[in-house]
């Protein structure tokens, strides 16, 4: 994690931007899960299923990184919550 200057007046704004990005990355995980199911419903080859699943894992890594940055800048622990997928 980056070294955060405690007295930086921009920390809150930077942290909020990272939090928005983290939430978008978290939502992308669900998007790729749905994409994988759609591929399966049309009998897509396994190579496409693997690629979709790898992309989902990448989104999990991105979300973790973004939540970590948001937590550092905001001085509080943030992470994913439940996601309404209806």
């Amino acid at each position: 994690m980056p070294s955060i200057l405690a007295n930086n007046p921009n920390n809150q704004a930077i942290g909020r931007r990272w939090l928005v990005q983290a939430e978008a990355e978290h939502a992308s995980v669900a998007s790729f899960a749905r994409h994988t199911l759609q591929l399966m419903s049309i009998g897509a080859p396994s190579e496409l299923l693997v690629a979709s699943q790898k992309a989902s894992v990448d989104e999990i890594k991105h979300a973790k990184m973004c939540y970590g940055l948001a937590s550092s800048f905001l001085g509080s622990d943030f992470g994913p919550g439940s996601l309404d997928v209806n």
Side-chain angles (χ1 to χ4, degrees):
M1 285 298 120
S3 177
I4 308 299
L5 297 174
N7 61 353
N8 185 343
N10 298 311
N11 282 353
Q12 292 296 308
I14 294 168
R16 285 191 300 274
R17 292 289 294 166
W18 279 114
L19 190 54
V20 168
Q21 185 63 39
E23 291 167 351
E25 298 289 346
H26 178 58
S28 291
V29 175
S31 177
F32 276 106
R34 180 174 289 166
H35 178 67
T36 300
L37 291 173
Q38 290 170 336
L39 288 171
M40 293 177 77
S41 76
I42 61 169
S46 62
E47 294 83 10
L48 289 179
L49 300 176
V50 168
S52 183
Q53 292 292 281
K54 284 182 178 180
S56 182
V57 170
D58 283 345
E59 295 303 316
I60 292 169
K61 291 174 186 175
H62 299 160
K64 287 175 69 172
M65 179 188 69
C66 292
Y67 278 118
L69 288 165
S71 296
S72 293
F73 279 100
L74 295 171
S76 187
D77 191 30
F78 288 92
S82 62
L83 181 67
D84 182 7
V85 293
N86 293 326

